[in-house]
Amino acid sequence: MIRWENYLAAAEKIIVAYDGSLPLHHFLKGFFKQHPYMGSRDRRQISQLVYQYYRLGNLWRGAKSTSERILLGTFLCEQEGNEILRHFHPELNEKITMPVEEKLLLLGHKDVTDVFPFTKELSDGIDSLAFSRSFFVQPHLFIRTRNNKQFSILRLLEKAAVPCEVLGEDTIALPNSTKIDTIITDKSWYEIQDASSQKAGALFNAQAGEHWWDSCAASGGKSILLLDKQPGVKLLASDIRTSIIQNLHQRFKEAGIRHYESVVMDLTAPVASSVIKDRSFDHIILDAPCSGSGTWGRTPENLSFFSEKQITEYQQLQKKIAANVVKLLKPGGSLIYITCSVFKKENEEVVKFLEEGSGLKIQEGGVIAGYEQRADSMFAVKMLKK
């Protein structure tokens, strides 16, 4: 059919034009704005083809044409009959329900680690085969239920005929396309938060009255998790971006959180000249700026546009920020160091740097291998200050 040929041509046009300077979803939005004749179904199908192409990472790069790689990406990522694949490759569409490993063998490709071009940089706790294979599967959308509303939320999901999986007393996995805000209108009932990020909260062993600093708070997801676990802590949240702190205020308001402090500050600058230079904290959360490589299942374009030198650049930034914030940590206090990276340089090597230079000692934590449950992969450790 002409429709499928047009879809493939549009996907190829996008891939040729895209240079990685914008997140892919922003680029797609701009592309479709320039082509308003495309309906919602057209946009969805074309976007899916583009994302499946990028999920291949380095597979067949330079060996096959762009259009052929798009179709192979569709074959590897889909598990149900696909109309586009049926049109171009009916012989592959007949085998689309096969496991990924068997599909790769059928295509004469055994080494799935070609998907991820930086395997030698992985943290020790990451299974390179399983991690590489996970790129062929769209991660779930996860919510953390709040205020004892899980049962009520499950009833609303059932009423809306949305399939879900309960992973714990507060964690629910949903299809990534779920419009959760249209199903659950009261935002105080839940937070959108990846399962691995929720697991990192196990390191927040807080007591009422303690002073906590969420130093790279972003929009405040981990701060809300901390306050849900222990509402009695005295929280300071900071970020370098004024707009992000404004988003935090809105998110806290929707979550029903009123008692906290916030400040805009640059953590790469010496804390001795900061607005909180005279403060000290019992515990500090440092969710450090990072490559985000543990989340690339959601943004697979990074497999093609991220450069290895950026890993070292992030590491240098993390070391600088960590060395600064730890100066405001009380003796006997803990630093919770978190990244959504799978790279050793951003994880274990930064921990080693802090142990050798800042008087901290790792107590617990490590890699959170989210790819085992269609979640992000992270690194989270608690370090004690002597």
Side-chain angles (χ1 to χ4, degrees):
M1 290 178 63
I2 296 297
R3 177 192 295 174
W4 312 137
E5 293 168 358
N6 288 341
Y7 283 175
L8 185 61
E12 186 170 3
K13 183 177 180 180
I14 290 167
I15 291 163
V16 169
Y18 180 60
D19 64 4
S21 58
L22 284 175
L24 180 55
H25 70 278
H26 287 315
F27 184 85
L28 288 169
K29 187 179 294 185
F31 176 86
F32 293 129
K33 189 174 182 180
Q34 294 173 359
H35 299 80
Y37 58 86
M38 292 182 178
S40 59
R41 183 187 181 191
D42 301 330
R43 296 193 297 269
R44 184 172 61 253
Q45 293 268 19
I46 293 166
S47 296
Q48 191 171 32
L49 290 174
V50 173
Y51 271 100
Q52 289 167 344
Y53 167 88
Y54 283 115
R55 289 187 180 283
L56 292 180
N58 271 5
L59 277 179
W60 299 296
R61 179 170 289 176
K64 294 185 182 296
S65 68
T66 299
S67 59
E68 189 63 15
R69 291 186 76 217
I70 293 171
L71 295 171
L72 291 175
T74 299
F75 174 58
L76 290 170
C77 295
E78 296 284 348
Q79 285 296 314
E80 298 179 356
N82 181 275
E83 294 178 348
I84 297 173
L85 197 62
R86 184 181 293 116
H87 176 72
F88 288 100
H89 283 300
E91 78 286 358
L92 293 182
N93 190 63
E94 290 176 1
K95 295 177 169 53
I96 202 165
T97 59
M98 292 170 60
V100 168
E101 297 91 333
E102 294 181 23
K103 290 180 180 180
L104 286 164
L105 288 173
L106 177 69
L107 297 171
H109 204 97
K110 296 181 181 180
D111 190 2
V112 71
T113 57
D114 281 359
V115 172
F116 188 75
F118 312 104
T119 51
K120 69 180 187 299
E121 299 284 350
L122 289 173
S123 286
D124 294 336
I126 300 293
D127 181 329
S128 60
L129 284 173
F131 180 66
S132 296
R133 200 159 45 235
S134 72
F135 281 95
F136 298 126
V137 182
Q138 173 70 46
H140 285 311
L141 171 71
F142 293 91
I143 62 171
R144 180 174 63 83
T145 61
R146 305 179 65 237
N147 301 321
N148 298 312
K149 294 296 185 181
Q150 187 174 97
F151 179 73
S152 298
I153 288 172
L154 289 172
R155 288 184 62 186
L156 289 174
L157 291 171
E158 182 181 10
K159 184 178 179 181
V162 175
C164 65
E165 181 181 359
V166 178
L167 300 179
E169 60 182 34
D170 298 319
T171 308
I172 300 176
L174 302 162
N176 190 67
S177 59
T178 305
K179 307 293 185 185
I180 190 66
D181 55 339
T182 65
I183 300 169
I184 308 166
T185 55
D186 190 333
K187 292 187 177 181
S188 71
W189 285 23
Y190 71 96
E191 286 291 323
I192 294 176
Q193 189 169 41
D194 187 80
S196 296
S197 185
Q198 295 182 45
K199 287 181 180 179
L203 301 176
F204 303 167
N205 298 316
Q207 302 295 321
E210 289 179 336
H211 291 265
W212 281 70
W213 177 22
D214 189 354
S215 57
C216 291
S219 59
K222 291 183 178 64
S223 286
I224 296 174
L225 176 56
L226 168 66
L227 291 170
D228 282 350
K229 289 168 68 71
Q230 177 49 265
V233 303
K234 298 177 181 179
L235 174 70
L236 172 69
S238 68
D239 198 274
I240 192 173
R241 299 154 294 182
T242 301
S243 60
I244 294 298
I245 289 295
Q246 290 172 344
N247 291 341
L248 179 145
H249 292 325
Q250 180 61 33
R251 191 172 179 184
F252 275 26
K253 181 179 179 180
E254 292 170 348
I257 293 172
R258 301 288 182 269
H259 303 294
Y260 66 97
E261 296 179 78
S262 66
V263 64
V264 176
M265 61 183 297
D266 180 1
L267 298 180
T268 64
V271 292
S273 60
S274 73
V275 294
I276 61 169
K277 61 184 179 181
D278 298 321
R279 305 277 293 270
S280 61
F281 299 90
D282 298 294
H283 307 279
I284 298 173
I285 301 170
L286 174 55
D287 191 353
C290 71
S291 63
S293 48
T295 71
W296 288 356
R298 303 182 190 279
T299 56
E301 65 272 21
N302 284 288
L303 292 170
S304 299
F305 292 100
F306 186 85
S307 64
E308 192 169 325
K309 69 176 184 179
Q310 291 176 267
I311 305 173
T312 300
E313 292 170 358
Y314 277 114
Q315 184 196 61
Q316 292 170 347
L317 177 63
Q318 291 152 358
K319 287 180 177 180
K320 190 171 189 178
I321 290 174
N324 279 338
V325 302
V326 77
K327 292 173 183 176
L328 299 185
L329 181 62
K330 295 178 182 178
S334 66
L335 175 73
I336 316 297
Y337 178 75
I338 303 170
T339 75
C340 48
S341 171
V342 293
F343 294 135
K344 183 182 295 186
K345 285 182 181 177
E346 298 183 89
N347 299 336
E348 294 93 335
E349 290 188 15
V350 174
V351 168
K352 183 179 179 182
F353 164 80
L354 289 170
E355 288 186 319
E356 293 176 348
S358 298
L360 273 66
K361 183 68 177 176
I362 188 169
Q363 184 184 40
E364 60 179 313
V367 166
I368 304 173
Y371 51 84
E372 295 176 346
Q373 57 180 176
R374 296 178 68 172
D376 298 337
S377 291
M378 300 182 64
F379 181 84
V381 295
K382 176 186 285 188
M383 305 186 72
L384 295 184
K385 189 174 184 180
K386 298 176 183 177

